[in-house]
Amino acid sequence: MTAPVFLHPNAAEAAAGARLTLDGPEGRHAVSVKRLRPGEALTLTDGAGAGASATVVETVGKDRLLAEVVEPLREPLPEPWLTVVQALPKGDRGEVAVETMTETGVDAVVPWAAARCVTRWREERGAKALAKWRSTAREAGKQARRLRFPEITDPVTTRQLAALVAAADLAVVLHEEGDLPLATTELPGTGRILVVVGPEGGVAPEELAELAAAGAVPRRLGRSVLRTSTAGTAAAAVLLARTGRWG
């Protein structure tokens, strides 16, 4: 079984033999929830692709442990980079989407205020929702044993999304009326892939036209129509397998 992962602000600079203290919420989780004891292994990460494999030296109380670094770890930037643009779903489905996409291996998630979104992120409510998405990505990243957690960007409008589409090496809009399946789409070996997932009511025709003008192509996943909270995860699995990142 792989070692549990914890966030540590100094994980990127730690050399073999260095000793690091894990305290606060991370230390409490390690000692009181995971019940790590001296001699057991753990992984420390900065969440940005750098970290260290380590061994517990001692525990102090219920929320602190001392770990010794065994080996520094570095995770290169993934190629190609996969971003999923997620239209804002209702309720907690956004957090479900972020959690499963993080576990699958998505590199970035962009919240999108699409025209047909029922949910609207405004002021304090929007700030809280975005914080939940980011917290979910962080916790799911640790659960998935990732050194690099996905970036959760600020929400974008359709005009801002069009600019992201234009900058991508491949931009796909998941759409049930797409002529071709995502599974047979030619993929770049490097660069950036962008997948757009619409809201429950679907991508509005004017949005589809604007994104197509920026370079996006419509693609379908299969015969069934997936929920907005599961479509991004399914698409990511297809793409990550085909690009060799799951190899």
Side-chain angles (χ1 to χ4, degrees), residues 78-167:
E79 288 281 0
W81 183 273
L82 177 58
T83 297
V84 174
V85 178
Q86 176 65 59
L88 305 179
K90 295 181 292 186
D92 63 355
R93 290 192 177 277
E95 292 149 56
V96 172
V98 169
E99 179 180 50
T100 55
M101 286 191 288
T102 298
E103 293 172 355
T104 304
V106 166
D107 303 304
V109 179
V110 179
W112 175 33
R116 292 178 175 173
C117 286
V118 175
T119 297
R120 295 292 169 184
W121 284 5
R122 293 188 176 94
E123 299 177 354
E124 185 178 352
R125 177 183 179 183
K128 287 182 178 180
L130 182 59
K132 283 185 178 180
W133 281 34
R134 288 173 172 164
S135 174
T136 297
R138 182 173 61 252
E139 296 307 312
K142 291 190 293 184
Q143 179 65 36
R145 310 293 196 264
R146 291 180 60 165
L147 290 183
R148 186 184 306 279
F149 302 161
E151 176 189 5
I152 310 298
T153 74
D154 289 339
V156 298
T157 63
T158 300
R159 178 175 294 182
Q160 292 169 324
L161 174 55
L164 297 178
V165 166

